[in-house]
Amino acid sequence: MTLRFIGIDPDTKTADSPTVWIDEERQEFVFQGWKAGPELEAEAAAFEVPGHAVGIPDDEGVFRIPARMAPMIREACDAIERAHRR
């Protein structure tokens, strides 16, 4: 897997670093964010989506990324679409 760096939280400090990458080969977004606390994780796990099991599968997680990173997420969407069209 080769990740293409898109951006990091502009308000990041040396320890915090929510980050956006894309994996052009697998056509996937890769996000690094803050781990969800138990309350948020429980709320997400209880959310019902028709046709899907309730809960969070063991190989998935819930995390937060600041809304100020929306421009980077848009850039990642554009980049993955361009890579897909090649």
Side-chain angles (χ1 to χ4, degrees), residues 6-72:
I6 300 296
I8 193 167
D9 179 3
D11 288 355
T12 195
K13 308 296 184 263
T14 57
D16 295 332
S17 53
T19 307
V20 178
W21 298 272
I22 60 169
D23 180 337
E24 292 177 333
E25 183 179 316
R26 295 182 65 161
Q27 293 289 290
E28 294 176 344
F29 301 101
V30 180
F31 297 105
Q32 175 180 327
W34 300 295
K35 292 180 181 179
E39 293 168 0
L40 176 59
E41 194 167 271
E43 183 177 351
F47 197 82
E48 294 188 35
V49 177
H52 290 269
V54 174
I56 301 168
D58 289 340
D59 63 340
E60 295 182 12
V62 177
F63 56 95
R64 294 179 176 274
I65 334 179
R68 64 184 164 263
M69 293 180 69
M72 290 171 221

Side-chain angles (χ1 to χ4, degrees), residues 60-84:
E60 295 182 12
V62 177
F63 56 95
R64 294 179 176 274
I65 334 179
R68 64 184 164 263
M69 293 180 69
M72 290 171 221
I73 296 169
R74 285 187 197 100
E75 182 181 341
C77 291
D78 292 343
I80 207 90
E81 284 180 342
R82 282 191 302 271
H84 182 71

